[in-house]
Amino acid sequence: MRTWLSAICSAVFAASLVGTTVPALAQGKPKFPSKPVRLVIGFSPGSATDLSGRMVAQKLESLWGQPVVIENRSGAGGQLAAVMVAKSTPDGYTLLMISSAMVVNSVLPVKPMYDILKEFTGVAQIGVPTSVVLVNPGLGVKSLKELIALAQSRPGKILFGTSGAGSGTHMTTEIFNMNAGIKTVHVAFKGLPEVMIEVAAGRLNYGIISMGASMPFIQEKRVTPLAVVAVKRSPLLPDVPTVTEILPSFERDASHGIIAPAGTPKDVLNIISRDVARALEFPDVKERMDAMGFERVHMGPEEYTKLLRRLHASLTKTVVAVGLRAP
C-alpha cells in the first residue's frame, strides 16, 4: 500500500516539476532589446552618416521602447570606432553605423586596424546617399560627356577635390575617372564643404559632392550639375542624368548601414534589421531623407554582408589601381 502511494506521490511531484519547467522553457531568451542599445558612429555630428543614423535611431527607440544612445567617436577616419565595436560583446547592444569609408579603411593600409569581413557581420543597409558631379561654370562644359572629352584632351591638367586621400569621395571619384578613361589631378581637403567652396570659386575644376551639401550652390548657379551618382534620376534634379546613363560600367561604392561584431546571434540581427526597415517607412523619415537626396534601400543581414564583401573586393582593386597601396 505504501509502495503504491509512494509511486502516486512521485508522479504528482514530477508532473508539478514539468508544469513549472515548460513555461520557463517557452519563455526562452529575454525579448530583444531589454536594455539600452548603443549606436556608435565613427564620424562627427552633422556628417551624412551621422544624420542618417540618427533618423533611424530615433524611430528604433519608439519601436523598442528602449533608448538608442548615439555615440560619435571620430578619429582615424572612423577606425577608432570600428576597433572599439569589434571588441564589444556580440549581443546586439553595441552596433556600428558605417559608410563605405569603413570598407576603404579596411583595405587601404598595409596593416589595417580591423578586418571588416572577419570581425563584423552585416545587420542592415539603410540606404545610399546621392552625390552630384559638379563643375565650375567657368570651365565651359555643360554635360558629363563634355567634361570627359575636355579631361581626355588635357591629361594631368584638370583638378578635382575630395575630403582626403582614401576617403569615400576620393574612391568614388577615382572609380569615375577610371571608367571615363581620364587622368586628372587629385587635391585633398579636410572635408566636402571646403571642396564645395573651391569648385564654386573656380580653383577646382570638378568634384563629386553629396546632394545635401551641393543643392544650395546649384540653386544659386554657383556650380553646374552634370550627373548624379544614383540608381535613377533625382526628383530634385530631374533634368540631370545619372552617371550610369553616360558610363554604364560605373558602379557606386556608397552605402550607409549598420554592422555588428561577428558572432552576434542571427535572431537578434533579424530583429534589428526588421525594425530598421520599419523605421525607414515612417513618413517624416522619408521626407527628411528625400530632402537630402538619400535613397532608402534596405538590405537584411545576409544580403548586406554580401554587399560589404563585394565592396571590399572592388575597393581593393581601386586603391591598388590608383597607387594608394601596393598590389
Side-chain angles (χ1 to χ4, degrees):
M1 184 71 174
R2 290 181 180 177
T3 302
W4 181 74
L5 287 173
S6 298
I8 291 177
C9 290
S10 298
V12 171
F13 179 71
S16 68
L17 285 178
V18 172
T20 57
T21 303
V22 170
L25 291 174
Q27 291 175 3
K29 298 178 181 178
K31 179 183 176 183
F32 179 89
S34 58
K35 61 181 181 180
V37 174
R38 181 170 55 158
L39 181 62
V40 181
I41 303 176
F43 304 95
S44 58
S47 63
T49 311
D50 176 76
L51 291 174
S52 58
R54 286 178 183 274
M55 289 183 209
V56 170
Q58 289 172 357
K59 299 306 178 184
L60 290 178
E61 280 193 348
S62 301
L63 293 170
W64 290 342
Q66 291 286 349
V68 178
V69 181
I70 299 291
E71 182 176 333
N72 292 93
R73 186 174 286 258
S74 57
Q79 295 184 79
L80 299 182
V83 171
M84 184 191 74
V85 175
K87 294 179 179 179
S88 66
T89 304
D91 56 6
Y93 287 95
T94 302
L95 306 169
L96 182 65
M97 178 72 194
I98 69 167
S99 70
S100 57
M102 303 303 294
V103 183
V104 176
N105 288 336
S106 70
V107 301
L108 185 60
V110 176
K111 294 182 179 180
M113 295 176 67
Y114 60 90
D115 188 326
I116 196 167
L117 301 183
K118 293 182 179 180
E119 297 183 73
F120 293 96
T121 184
V123 179
Q125 178 177 263
I126 290 174
V128 182
T130 297
S131 298
V132 190
V133 183
L134 302 166
V135 297
N136 181 272
L139 192 61
V141 300
K142 300 291 179 64
S143 70
L144 193 63
K145 288 184 177 179
E146 290 183 8
L147 173 63
I148 294 171
L150 178 65
Q152 289 175 339
S153 68
R154 299 170 59 187
K157 301 295 183 182
I158 302 297
L159 307 178
F160 73 92
T162 75
S163 56
S167 64
T169 54
H170 184 203
M171 293 297 98
T172 298
T173 311
E174 292 290 6
I175 292 171
F176 163 73
N177 292 344
M178 288 190 291
N179 279 270
I182 59 177
K183 293 183 178 181
T184 52
V185 179
H186 176 221
V187 183
F189 291 85
K190 291 183 178 180
L192 286 181
E194 292 89 344
V195 178
M196 187 73 259
I197 292 171
E198 293 300 308
V199 173
R203 290 184 287 270
L204 288 176
N205 301 123
Y206 74 104
I208 300 181
I209 301 172
S210 64
M211 180 170 283
S214 60
M215 280 305 295
F217 289 82
I218 294 172
Q219 292 166 346
E220 294 172 6
K221 300 187 184 303
R222 296 174 63 186
V223 294
T224 302
L226 303 183
V228 293
V229 181
V231 172
K232 57 184 179 181
R233 295 193 181 195
S234 170
L236 299 178
L237 296 171
D239 297 326
V240 178
T242 65
V243 173
T244 50
E245 288 181 50
I246 314 302
L247 300 171
S249 59
F250 175 83
E251 292 183 356
R252 294 182 303 171
D253 63 341
S255 175
H256 286 192
I258 297 173
I259 61 178
T264 302
K266 288 186 178 181
D267 58 337
V268 172
L269 297 177
N270 289 331
I271 290 171
I272 301 171
S273 180
R274 177 200 67 193
D275 291 336
V276 167
R278 294 169 64 190
L280 293 173
E281 293 303 315
F282 279 78
D284 58 328
V285 171
K286 289 182 177 180
E287 182 179 356
R288 291 170 65 190
M289 287 189 170
D290 288 346
M292 59 187 283
F294 189 88
E295 298 178 69
R296 292 169 289 106
V297 186
H298 176 264
M299 287 184 182
E302 292 186 7
E303 190 179 7
Y304 190 41
T305 298
K306 290 179 181 178
L307 173 63
L308 292 175
R309 291 185 179 279
R310 292 197 301 272
L311 283 176
H312 188 276
S314 64
L315 288 169
T316 298
K317 293 179 181 178
T318 302
V319 299
V320 171
V322 300
L324 291 174
R325 200 191 79 182

